Amino acid sequence: MFKQNLIALQTIIRKEWIRIIRIWIQTLIPPVITMSLYFLIFGELVGRQIGKIGEFSYIEFIVPGIIMMSVITNAYGNVVSSFFGAKFQKNVEEILVSPTSPITIVLGYTIGGVIRGLLVGILVTLTSLFFTKLRIHNFFIILVTVLLTSLLFSLGGFLNSLFAKKFDDVTIIPTFVLTPLTYLGGVFYSIKALPEIWQTLSMVNPILYMVNAFRYGFLGTSDVDIFFSLMFISVLSLVLFITNVALMTRGYGIRS
């Protein structure tokens, strides 16, 4: 049984990899272009008017947040579109009739999302070098944060795809939840510049912890505790993984 599930896991990951690379013009290029516009407009044009945040130029400050934003949206989008597409086209039934365990299915699609999130993150990071020099304060924190964040939002995308019954359901969460939380997650500003009440409200935004942990890895500065941030992301990931496996075991959203 273990060998069968290992083969199934490798197959799902390979399928996701081929899907990402085959349509690379749709999966990898658009986020690079979009984030380049952020670098140009916010980093270069607006940044000159803002000046510095602490000891860093404005573009240096926002680069980690923009990279993280691209990782979040692409890890999430890859899984929700891929698994919902499998549901819509009835391809998922082929997996369900096989001896593949729910854990293997969740892991396979989740790893696919992580791969796309990391690929886009690397490309956006390389693109940022055309606009500013990157500092590396703690590479381990950078690596752990990006892996945990892409894992968390891949699992979130899988959960969304389980509940989705039509294509409109796939876009609701990214449009009305992820986008506002990302923009309010400290990507373009430090929450220390906000009034105290807004600082307190910002602390309930989970993306704030991911952005700040990632920024700490580059710049060595953060508005929140790094250890707590990493633990928080880890716990959320574990909760989502258990939830997805439990729903898959029950057949929620995939069996009529």
Side-chain angles (χ1 to χ4, degrees):
M1 182 63 72
F2 174 78
K3 185 177 180 181
Q4 290 176 334
N5 278 287
L6 181 59
I7 294 173
L9 178 63
Q10 293 171 340
T11 303
I12 295 172
I13 295 173
R14 182 172 180 270
K15 178 182 75 70
E16 289 299 293
W17 168 259
I18 292 174
R19 174 179 174 271
I20 294 168
I21 299 302
R22 189 182 68 246
I23 55 173
W24 61 273
I25 294 180
Q26 300 175 41
T27 56
L28 302 179
I29 300 303
V32 173
I33 295 174
T34 302
M35 298 307 153
S36 296
L37 292 175
Y38 280 115
F39 292 139
L40 177 62
I41 297 171
F42 289 96
E44 292 293 330
L45 303 180
V46 177
R48 290 175 186 171
Q49 305 300 318
I50 295 176
K52 290 191 173 184
I53 295 183
E55 60 182 290
F56 309 105
S57 66
Y58 186 65
I59 190 169
E60 283 181 311
F61 184 82
I62 68 172
V63 161
I66 292 176
I67 296 171
M68 183 54 65
M69 183 165 61
S70 68
V71 171
I72 288 171
T73 54
N74 284 276
Y76 189 97
N78 189 80
V79 180
V80 71
S81 61
S82 180
F83 191 73
F84 180 76
K87 283 175 54 179
F88 183 78
Q89 297 170 4
K90 305 297 183 182
N91 295 336
V92 72
E93 295 175 0
E94 300 174 5
I95 302 177
L96 296 177
V97 298
S98 70
T100 306
S101 70
I103 292 177
T104 301
I105 297 172
V106 173
L107 276 178
Y109 280 94
T110 299
I111 293 173
V114 171
I115 290 172
R116 179 172 165 186
L118 293 179
L119 285 176
V120 171
I122 291 170
L123 291 175
V124 173
T125 301
L126 293 175
T127 303
S128 71
L129 295 175
F130 290 99
F131 299 90
T132 186
K133 293 181 179 179
L134 284 181
R135 309 186 188 197
I136 303 294
H137 175 73
N138 190 318
F139 183 76
F140 177 75
I141 295 294
I142 293 174
L143 182 61
V144 171
T145 304
V146 74
L147 285 174
L148 287 176
T149 302
S150 57
L151 174 65
L152 173 62
F153 283 93
S154 294
L155 289 166
F158 193 95
L159 184 63
N160 186 180
S161 66
L162 284 175
F163 281 92
K165 292 181 172 58
K166 54 185 183 297
F167 281 104
D168 288 345
D169 297 336
V170 171
T171 61
I172 288 175
I173 299 298
T175 302
F176 295 103
V177 178
L178 282 188
T179 300
L181 287 180
T182 301
Y183 282 108
L184 296 173
V187 173
F188 299 103
Y189 59 88
S190 169
I191 64 168
K192 292 178 181 178
L194 300 175
E196 188 172 343
I197 185 171
W198 290 108
Q199 290 187 40
T200 303
L201 289 174
S202 295
M203 300 304 273
V204 301
N205 183 352
I207 294 180
L208 175 73
Y209 299 93
M210 304 164 202
V211 169
N212 273 275
F214 199 59
R215 180 174 289 134
Y216 178 84
F218 282 101
L219 305 179
T221 182
S222 173
D223 294 332
V224 295
D225 182 76
I226 300 303
F227 178 76
F228 176 81
S229 298
L230 296 179
M231 288 299 298
F232 181 62
I233 304 170
S234 301
V235 170
L236 279 181
S237 299
L238 180 61
V239 170
L240 279 181
F241 178 76
I242 293 172
T243 302
N244 282 329
V245 171
L247 290 174
M248 279 293 296
T249 302
R250 289 173 51 193
Y252 187 90
I254 54 176
R255 292 194 179 116
S256 302

